[in-house]
Amino acid sequence: MPDPAPSVQLSVVIPVFNEEPNLPALFARLYPVLDGLQRTYEVVFTNDGSADRSLELLRAQHAARPDVTRVIDFNANYGQHMAIMAAFERVRGEVVVTLDADLQDPPEEIPKLLALVDTGSDYVGGFRLNRQDSAFRTAASKLINLVRSQTTSIEMTDQGCMLRAYRRSVIDAVVRSGAVNTFIPALAYSFASKPTEVGVRHEERHAGVSNYSFYKLIRLNFDLITGFSLAPLELFTLFSLVCSAGSLALVILLLYRRFVLDLDRETFGVFTLLAIVIFLISVCMIGIGLIGEYVGRTYQTVRTRQRYHVRELLEIK
């Protein structure tokens, strides 16, 4: 459970998965920024089952700055948002900032978020200015943002930007929710009373490749939609009603042409009905899959299985 009495002013949470090429540059840029804030702070890294030398570099950084560096080491890969949740459960700061390790969201932009928190906002979301991603990835991100905006009440300009700041009250609410599969920025938004956004610089990835494939982005958005909205079920119900009405109209039309107009003697029959049945079955299959997604989320919540396993925790008590 979260610490009821924050012992530092700022916690920076960074999930790490196979970021060996980026970590030295991240350390070199992040710590000077935080040192210059004139605030007490900590940096909480979660090693999400990295297969490269990321954990070794995190150990070295903890040894170099043990007073402000903490490392959570997972035994396996549980995903970015579970890595963030593990850090949220252990942060000591009054304000918590999340940041990716790939340096596409520059740590130098952190003061911009903190300035808005200081004015009273309890949730500050960043949105990327002049994105440096490929045209395909940018277009896919815009499409995903559009779908989310039309199907949920979550208002975010750029849901893919991990550079965000939260007050401790919001973090505590996120942790108490006990959410298993969720999109943390959206969950935090639902608990915020004064959310706001600010544009932040975006840079090309310093090294390596993104760990988010297009498929993972689709899955992330699907989790977001099903976790915060019943719109898919409602839209499917409307779609099913339209299909049912269309199928009934088609059957009536076929009967009229066959028995009133005496047409289609050769084509009317089992193949026409078979085509209708196959179409309706496909609609049912889509609905079963959609309902199964919601049932699966419920099952994962009620089974109370351990969400992740921490192999090691590097910190000064």
Side-chain angles (χ1 to χ4, degrees), residues 55-288:
L55 179 58
E56 182 179 336
L57 295 176
L58 292 175
R59 287 180 184 276
Q61 182 62 23
H62 175 262
R65 298 289 303 270
D67 55 325
V68 293
T69 305
R70 304 168 67 194
V71 179
I72 302 168
D73 180 31
F74 282 174
N75 69 309
N77 178 245
Y78 293 95
Q80 181 188 52
H81 293 277
M82 195 53 62
I84 294 174
M85 186 68 78
F88 279 3
E89 293 174 352
R90 294 165 173 83
V91 291
R92 300 166 178 167
E94 175 59 35
V95 177
V96 180
V97 171
T98 56
L99 180 71
D100 278 334
D102 58 13
L103 289 174
Q104 286 199 277
D105 297 323
E108 292 81 4
E109 296 291 271
I110 291 177
K112 188 182 295 184
L113 278 68
L114 296 179
L116 290 175
V117 173
D118 291 341
T119 62
S121 297
D122 57 356
Y123 172 106
V124 181
F127 59 88
R128 292 166 287 190
L129 303 172
N130 300 318
R131 288 190 59 175
Q132 301 301 310
D133 292 323
S134 65
F136 173 77
R137 191 176 181 86
T138 301
S141 179
K142 289 181 179 179
L143 176 61
I144 289 173
N145 276 289
L146 177 63
V147 172
R148 185 259 313 144
S149 66
Q150 296 299 315
T151 55
T152 73
S153 60
I154 305 299
E155 298 180 5
M156 288 186 291
T157 302
D158 184 2
Q159 69 184 46
C161 181
M162 191 52 66
L163 184 54
R164 299 176 185 275
Y166 313 90
R167 280 205 170 274
R168 182 58 178 268
S169 58
V170 175
I171 297 300
D172 288 351
V174 169
V175 173
R176 285 194 299 267
S177 72
V180 179
N181 287 339
T182 189
F183 184 65
I184 287 178
L187 183 62
Y189 178 91
S190 66
F191 294 131
S193 59
K194 191 177 179 182
T196 189
E197 292 186 317
V198 64
V200 295
R201 286 191 298 116
H202 191 238
E203 298 180 0
E204 293 185 6
R205 186 179 176 87
H206 177 73
V209 296
S210 173
N211 294 312
Y212 266 103
S213 64
F214 181 67
Y215 171 74
K216 287 184 178 180
L217 290 174
I218 294 296
R219 283 298 311 167
L220 179 64
N221 195 66
F222 197 70
D223 285 343
L224 171 60
I225 294 174
T226 57
F228 293 90
S229 172
L230 293 178
L233 289 176
E234 295 168 349
L235 292 174
F236 177 76
T237 299
L238 293 175
F239 176 69
S240 299
L241 290 173
V242 173
C243 290
S244 298
S247 299
L248 178 61
L250 179 59
V251 170
I252 293 174
L253 176 62
L254 291 174
L255 292 174
Y256 177 78
R257 288 175 61 85
R258 174 64 183 88
F259 296 107
V260 177
L261 302 180
D262 197 24
L263 300 174
D264 302 331
R265 291 186 179 184
E266 301 296 331
T267 59
F268 182 81
V270 64
F271 291 108
T272 301
L273 295 177
L274 181 62
I276 297 174
V277 169
I278 291 175
F279 174 72
L280 293 178
I281 289 176
S282 66
V283 173
C284 292
M285 292 299 292
I286 295 173
I288 291 172

Side-chain angles (χ1 to χ4, degrees), residues 40-54:
T40 56
Y41 72 89
E42 66 175 359
V43 184
V44 184
F45 296 96
T46 303
N47 178 46
D48 189 21
S50 298
D52 59 6
R53 295 178 58 251
S54 293

